[in-house]
Amino acid sequence: MSPDNPDPERPVDEPDQPAPPRTPDAKPLEADPSAEAASGGFGPGQLPASGAYQSSLELRFDEPRRPLRAVATVLGAVLALAALGVPLGLLWAALAPDTPVLKTAEGAIYAEPQPEQPIAADGWFSLLGLAFGLIVALALWFVLRRRRGPVGLLAAVLGTLVAAPVAWQVGRRIGLATFDRLLATAPAGQAFSKPADLRAGGVDWLLGVLPVPHGNLLLPAFGAAVMYTLLAGWSRWPGLRPEPEPGEFSWVSAGTPAPTAAPEPPAPDAAEPPRG
């Protein structure tokens, strides 16, 4: 090693060699295939295969609902709940007490001055109807999981609105034929009973065509709307429907960094500075 030759492995008489010039046919250095494979096989502007698969699943899961399917769902729920109004009416007729009456020349009158049986009939129908609405909202929330939201709420409200008059008509007709027969044929002064009926609710006809329930016939729909709204407010999913977790379909993180590019070769005019 000497002042003229600081590199001990380099001969003194060997001149400095400039960098080889770049030819027009020279190709840029390509990235190492092993590095590309290690990074998941995607470039800076590409999405990994697992991320694309996850995105496609999310889009397919959150695809917009078809209007015809929504209408069919609501109609099917309304028909099913209307059928459930039959056992609800039978249960109400079994629990509500009959009212004792007396036959007179003008018709039937109450056997007691202020009977409590009509009030009990209204009370039983109100309690059963409210409980029916709550159960319907819970059932539709879990049965129609993919239709949660306005479609499920509309199905619950319309279904209970139809089921309530059905239950009322079924319950009030239990024993009504016997009452009408005794009213027409019994002698004056004979005591018999009148089947349960509603005094705090009924159905009005709008323009003679559209039935509009009122009174305690609206309690089932009220209970269903309140319960369904509470379930929607307590839901942990923003869309109310169960959503797949991010880790269920992705095995490679979507944020894997892209491989670094190879360094640029030195310019043709670049040369090492003179030594010594």
Side-chain angles (χ1 to χ4, degrees):
M1 182 174 181
S2 64
D4 295 336
N5 186 16
D7 190 355
E9 298 181 358
R10 180 179 179 184
V12 178
D13 54 352
E14 182 180 350
D16 296 333
Q17 299 292 333
R22 178 182 295 178
T23 59
D25 298 335
K27 296 182 179 180
L29 295 178
E30 297 180 355
D32 188 0
S34 61
E36 182 179 358
S39 62
F42 60 95
Q46 297 176 345
L47 188 67
S50 59
Y53 179 60
Q54 179 182 355
S55 301
S56 64
L57 284 176
E58 291 176 355
L59 289 176
R60 184 173 58 191
F61 188 84
D62 294 330
E63 61 183 358
R65 303 181 180 94
R66 298 180 180 179
L68 293 180
R69 288 187 178 182
V71 173
T73 300
V74 173
L75 292 179
V78 170
L79 293 177
L81 294 177
L84 290 178
V86 175
L88 178 63
L90 295 176
L91 179 61
W92 172 59
L95 295 176
D98 295 339
T99 304
V101 296
L102 287 175
K103 173 66 182 294
T104 63
E106 292 79 11
I109 61 173
Y110 289 134
E112 301 174 0
Q114 296 180 349
E116 299 179 354
Q117 288 82 2
I119 301 176
D122 282 324
W124 275 112
F125 190 90
S126 300
L127 292 177
L128 292 175
L130 188 61
F132 178 75
L134 298 178
I135 295 174
V136 164
L138 283 171
L140 291 183
W141 178 264
F142 291 104
V143 172
L144 303 179
R145 299 179 62 185
R146 303 189 67 85
R147 297 292 180 181
R148 289 177 181 175
V151 175
L153 178 61
L154 185 63
V157 172
L158 290 182
T160 49
L161 278 178
V162 175
V166 171
W168 170 45
Q169 290 299 320
V170 169
R172 69 182 293 269
R173 294 182 184 277
I174 302 299
L176 185 60
T178 303
F179 172 77
D180 291 338
R181 180 178 56 81
L182 292 175
L183 185 63
T185 60
Q190 182 176 350
F192 50 94
S193 60
K194 180 182 179 181
D197 202 350
L198 293 182
R199 298 194 305 176
V203 176
D204 295 331
W205 291 89
L206 182 63
L207 302 177
V209 177
L210 183 63
V212 180
H214 62 85
N216 50 8
L217 289 180
L218 299 177
L219 283 177
F222 174 76
V226 171
M227 175 58 70
Y228 202 93
T229 304
L230 290 177
L231 290 173
W234 291 337
S235 177
R236 64 189 181 98
W237 295 292
L240 301 183
R241 297 176 296 162
E243 300 175 0
E245 298 294 336
E248 293 183 3
F249 304 103
S250 178
W251 295 273
V252 179
S253 176
T256 304
T260 57
E264 291 289 339
D269 299 334
E272 297 184 3
R275 301 179 181 272

